[in-house]
Amino acid sequence: MLRYLEENLDILSTSEHEQIPLLQSLEEYCNKDVASFDVPGHVKDQGVEILNNYFGKKLMKMDINSSPQMDNVSNPKGIIKEAEQLLAKAYKANNAFFMTNGTTQGIHAMILSVLNPGDKIILPRNVHKSVINALILSGGIPVYIQPEYDDELGISLNLSVEKINKVLDENNDAKALFLLNPTYYGACSDLKEIVKICHDRNILVLVDEAHGAHFPFYDELPPSAMECNADMSAVSLHKTGGALTQASALLVNNKNIDEKKVLQHINMLQSTSASYLLMASLDGARSNLMLNGEGQLSKALNLARYAKRKINKIKGIKVISNELLESEGVSFIDETKLCINVKELNLTGFEVYDLLYKNFNVQVELGDMYNILALISIGTIKSDVDKLIKSLNIISNMNSKNVLINSIKIKQVLPRVKLSPREAFYSKKESKLLNNCINKVCAESIMAYPPGIPIISPGEIITEEIIDYINLLKNSKAYLTDMNDKTLNTILVVR
């Protein structure tokens, strides 16, 4: 009898997610014969024919501004609120807020909502640049933990419970802990245990779940932040959930979080003309994940396992996924992220990334020194996976360079913090030659993108190791970004 009730509750829950209130209302509004004297200036499909030709008239009609029928994201009371509540239910959160400027906006709002200037926040050093920028905005003080590291892959993994306990003992005045679930390469720590440890100490847990929006919808994937009782998480539904690019959400799971304050900070960061196309895509993506996600993600996982089997037969190439579960700080792995190690080809990941695109019309997510990362998602098809496999096989048989990539050793660097990111960002600065910056305090961020993890951030001491690593990335043709001098011959330092 209990099982029967549980099954029927699941049916009721699923049928509720057939509703798409915002998406449906947007279509209804566009089908009305409304004489528009408001923005946007293209006025549906009436003003810019070239956009109609490229995007289609229906999409142009659906690019609207707020109206009484369509609610307002700055203070949602109608269909936007209804759609946000459905999203919260899908993720088992107390509340959800639509983000139209990506998870970057969600991370900024999350940190600004809980930190006052001078508050400590504990975080791994391999966070996205949006976290550092949030500390500049909030005046928060970072306490970095060195994540576990895989020498073979040359990548940072996630945080171990032991390291977190140690840092918490040393910083019992910290306000929050910030975590990745997962890392860019799919590594997840024991988030449930970490949340429990933090809550026992009255420390909030904030989670960057940019690459884990799909987790709640298939039971062979890692547990989500909300399932692990984290207080807040920011999820990129556009990355792995099927929404349009920049469409994300901020989830709240703790009744002690002041949601009015959260919305206040969201409104400081979000346009008052938030895109209805992006918000409606969140509504549609949520419905699809609840109704079809299990089947689509099962297919994606099977494709990822198929790709791994085939690629591992190619000389000089190896896919690493579940093997990382033997590493400290990794309790779960997202197998849909194919970390493809290519260093035995004597090619860098940057070079393989370029070869795949230029020679084979294959676009992967990123290349780093030793690896490329290919994402298998709900939209991936087998013929594309086969194209990736075939392309890698051809690259494997190409003549490689004489330089052994194995001889290029990547060091894990944990810079020492001298000033808070905010203090350094607003300090008086000067530009110095890169090789003359040893022991100077950095006044800008420098990173390879993707993934957008800073090599050095404002307020950190520049060391010889960091300069060597920057030169290594420059010589390897990595795409470096955010620095003032685009050639990176000089760095901004605190005067």
Side-chain angles (χ1 to χ4, degrees):
M1 182 65 178
L2 179 60
R3 183 178 176 185
Y4 172 82
L5 288 171
E6 287 175 347
E7 286 173 353
N8 279 273
L9 282 171
D10 286 341
I11 291 168
L12 287 171
S13 174
T14 302
S15 64
E16 181 180 33
H17 288 282
E18 292 175 353
Q19 299 175 41
I20 40 174
L22 183 54
L23 189 56
Q24 195 167 40
S25 293
L26 181 57
E27 183 177 49
E28 289 170 0
Y29 180 81
C30 294
N31 288 337
K32 286 184 176 181
D33 186 19
V34 176
S36 297
F37 296 94
D38 61 348
V39 296
H42 59 72
V43 189
K44 298 177 281 192
D45 61 343
Q46 297 168 194
V48 186
E49 191 62 25
I50 191 171
L51 295 184
N52 294 340
N53 294 339
Y54 274 86
F55 295 154
K57 290 189 173 185
K58 185 167 185 177
L59 183 143
M60 294 302 293
K61 286 180 179 179
M62 295 179 83
D63 182 35
I64 66 161
N65 196 34
S66 298
S67 72
Q69 177 184 333
M70 295 307 298
D71 204 2
N72 190 304
V73 73
S74 297
N75 186 24
K77 297 178 180 178
I79 54 169
I80 292 177
K81 187 66 179 174
E82 186 181 344
E84 287 180 334
Q85 287 172 340
L86 284 167
L87 185 65
K89 286 182 181 180
Y91 278 91
K92 297 181 173 60
N94 288 337
N95 210 342
F97 298 92
F98 286 169
M99 302 283 107
T100 58
N101 194 32
T103 292
T104 289
Q105 180 194 355
I107 286 169
H108 288 176
M110 190 160 53
I111 289 175
L112 285 166
S113 296
V114 303
L115 290 189
N116 292 320
D119 282 346
K120 282 185 185 177
I121 182 168
I122 299 167
L123 63 162
R125 184 56 183 77
N126 60 329
V127 291
H128 187 262
K129 68 174 186 176
S130 57
V131 181
I132 307 300
N133 291 337
L135 297 180
I136 292 171
L137 293 171
S138 67
I141 308 299
V143 177
Y144 291 121
I145 307 180
Q146 188 71 291
E148 304 303 327
Y149 191 74
D150 189 294
D151 289 305
E152 178 70 15
L153 297 176
I155 61 171
S156 294
L157 300 173
N158 221 311
L159 298 180
S160 67
V161 173
E162 291 73 21
K163 278 191 177 179
I164 288 174
N165 263 324
K166 183 175 184 297
V167 174
L168 288 173
D169 286 341
E170 295 167 353
N171 297 273
N172 56 16
D173 56 341
K175 185 75 174 288
L177 170 74
F178 188 95
L179 278 175
L180 305 172
N181 190 57
T183 65
Y184 219 122
Y185 295 90
C188 300
S189 55
D190 187 352
L191 184 55
K192 193 160 192 174
E193 178 64 19
I194 290 167
V195 169
K196 182 181 182 301
I197 290 166
C198 288
H199 285 175
D200 287 346
R201 298 172 183 249
N202 294 317
I203 291 173
L204 297 169
V205 179
L206 316 179
V207 180
D208 175 354
E209 207 157 34
H211 295 273
H214 55 308
F215 283 1
F217 305 101
Y218 191 53
D219 58 9
E220 289 188 46
L221 293 168
S224 72
M226 294 295 100
E227 290 176 81
C228 294
N229 301 317
D231 299 289
M232 300 174 80
S233 72
V235 292
S236 293
L237 274 93
H238 68 96
K239 291 187 189 297
T240 59
L244 295 180
T245 296
Q246 279 189 218
S248 294
L250 178 57
L251 307 174
V252 180
N253 200 34
N254 185 336
K255 292 178 181 177
N256 294 321
I257 297 284
D258 185 346
E259 293 185 0
K260 290 180 180 177
K261 188 176 180 182
V262 174
L263 183 58
Q264 182 183 39
H265 284 98
I266 289 170
N267 288 339
M268 288 172 62
L269 301 163
Q270 183 152 267
S271 170
T272 52
S273 302
S275 169
Y276 275 82
L277 291 171
L278 298 186
M279 290 189 290
S281 80
L282 288 167
D283 202 26
R286 178 268 313 157
S287 178
N288 176 68
L289 285 168
M290 286 300 293
L291 300 177
N292 306 311
E294 184 175 8
Q296 290 181 326
L297 289 165
S298 173
K299 179 184 172 185
L301 202 54
N302 286 333
L303 276 175
R305 290 165 178 168
Y306 163 78
K308 179 177 179 176
R309 288 195 304 273
K310 292 287 188 179
I311 293 170
N312 279 348
K313 293 178 181 177
I314 300 173
K315 183 181 178 182
I317 300 178
K318 185 172 179 61
V319 177
I320 308 293
S321 55
N322 285 331
E323 293 83 353
L324 293 177
L325 292 172
E326 299 174 7
S327 307
E328 284 292 318
V330 183
S331 295
F332 303 92
I333 197 76
D334 179 5
E335 293 179 70
T336 66
K337 294 172 174 58
L338 297 179
C339 181
I340 304 171
N341 190 262
V342 297
K343 68 179 181 180
E344 295 297 327
L345 299 178
N346 289 330
L347 294 169
T348 68
F350 303 119
E351 291 170 320
V352 175
Y353 176 98
D354 286 340
L355 283 169
L356 283 169
Y357 182 69
K358 292 174 181 176
N359 294 16
F360 303 97
N361 283 332
V362 172
Q363 176 71 65
V364 293
E365 176 68 8
L366 65 80
D368 62 29
M369 188 60 66
Y370 292 167
N371 315 284
I372 57 170
L373 182 66
L375 307 184
I376 308 294
S377 68
I378 60 173
T380 305
I381 56 176
K382 184 176 181 293
S383 60
D384 284 346
V385 174
D386 286 333
K387 188 175 181 180
L388 170 66
I389 296 165
K390 182 179 179 181
S391 302
L392 289 172
N393 203 24
I394 294 170
I395 291 171
S396 170
N397 291 316
M398 293 168 56
N399 290 328
S400 61
K401 303 174 302 183
N402 292 324
V403 176
L404 292 177
I405 299 302
N406 271 325
S407 67
I408 302 173
K409 296 301 180 185
I410 302 172
K411 293 182 180 179
Q412 192 183 28
V413 178
L414 183 65
R416 185 163 61 89
V417 177
K418 178 73 172 179
L419 299 174
S420 76
R422 184 180 179 88
E423 285 177 298
F425 185 81
Y426 287 107
S427 66
K428 290 184 178 179
K429 308 173 184 68
E430 60 182 340
S431 183
K432 281 197 168 290
L433 288 172
L434 174 63
N435 293 327
N436 294 341
C437 289
I438 295 174
N439 294 327
K440 298 290 183 183
V441 178
C442 191
E444 62 177 338
S445 287
I446 299 167
M447 67 201 69
Y449 185 84
I453 297 167
I455 300 159
I456 186 80
S457 293
E460 297 174 347
I461 301 290
I462 301 167
T463 63
E464 187 174 358
E465 274 186 321
I466 290 166
I467 291 171
D468 288 345
Y469 188 44
I470 290 172
N471 282 322
L472 175 63
L473 290 172
K474 282 175 65 177
N475 294 333
S476 301
K477 303 293 188 289
Y479 182 72
L480 296 165
T481 184
D482 277 35
M483 58 280 186
N484 184 61
D485 176 6
K486 302 309 175 188
T487 67
L488 246 183
N489 292 324
T490 62
I491 301 182
L492 285 179
V493 297
V494 174
R495 187 180 297 172

